[in-house]
Amino acid sequence: MDINYALIGMRIRAVRLKRGYTQELVSERADVSPPHYSKIESGRTKLSLPCLVRICNALEITPDEILMDSVDNSTPTLIKEVAAVFSGCTGDEIFHMLSVAQALKKSMQIRNHNKGAK
């Protein structure tokens, strides 16, 4: 199993920005040097489990929010994110967003099918 550290870093960064925290604040709260924390967010380095837990505590989140793409059975967490995106939308907005998602799914399935045929 390969762990996508770049994606983990992107999720950490997204949460940090959503909270309005600076890298310096999170690195200090997580007891991680600012340069190392920067490398974690950019996916240029791996992070240990204790480091991940400290960062999650600093960001006030659970590890599943960061690791959901690395875990095979992450569908329930992803469904919550989809619901959050659609929350507060008008019927028209939901219709358009769902249409885009359906078209993207179909395109991805065709692309994956064509890759398998080669």
Side-chain angles (χ1 to χ4, degrees):
M1 174 177 99
D2 291 327
I3 295 178
N4 188 334
Y5 289 97
L7 193 52
I8 289 171
M10 287 172 50
R11 286 201 172 276
I12 290 171
R13 181 177 189 273
V15 171
R16 177 181 62 77
L17 293 174
K18 184 177 179 181
R19 297 264 193 276
Y21 296 165
T22 64
Q23 283 188 346
E24 292 77 18
L25 176 67
V26 177
S27 68
E28 181 180 321
R29 286 183 176 180
D31 194 28
V32 176
S33 72
H36 184 62
Y37 181 82
S38 177
K39 288 180 183 177
I40 290 169
E41 276 198 4
S42 66
R44 292 181 287 144
T45 191
K46 297 179 180 181
L47 70 160
S48 66
L49 182 56
C51 183
L52 175 65
V53 170
R54 289 193 313 270
I55 289 172
C56 287
N57 284 334
L59 292 170
E60 303 165 352
I61 58 170
T62 59
D64 62 318
E65 294 179 59
I66 300 301
L67 298 174
M68 74 169 95
D69 298 299
S70 301
V71 178
D72 291 337
N73 192 13
S74 62
T75 302
T77 304
L78 293 172
I79 294 296
K80 287 180 195 173
E81 281 201 16
V82 170
V85 169
F86 281 72
S87 174
C89 291
T90 66
D92 192 46
E93 290 169 335
I94 292 171
F95 173 79
H96 289 293
M97 291 166 58
L98 188 57
S99 296
V100 169
Q102 289 169 333
L104 180 60
K105 178 182 175 183
K106 184 174 183 176
S107 174
M108 291 171 68
Q109 289 173 336
I110 291 170
R111 183 173 182 226
N112 288 336
H113 176 73
N114 289 341
K115 280 184 179 179
K118 290 182 180 179

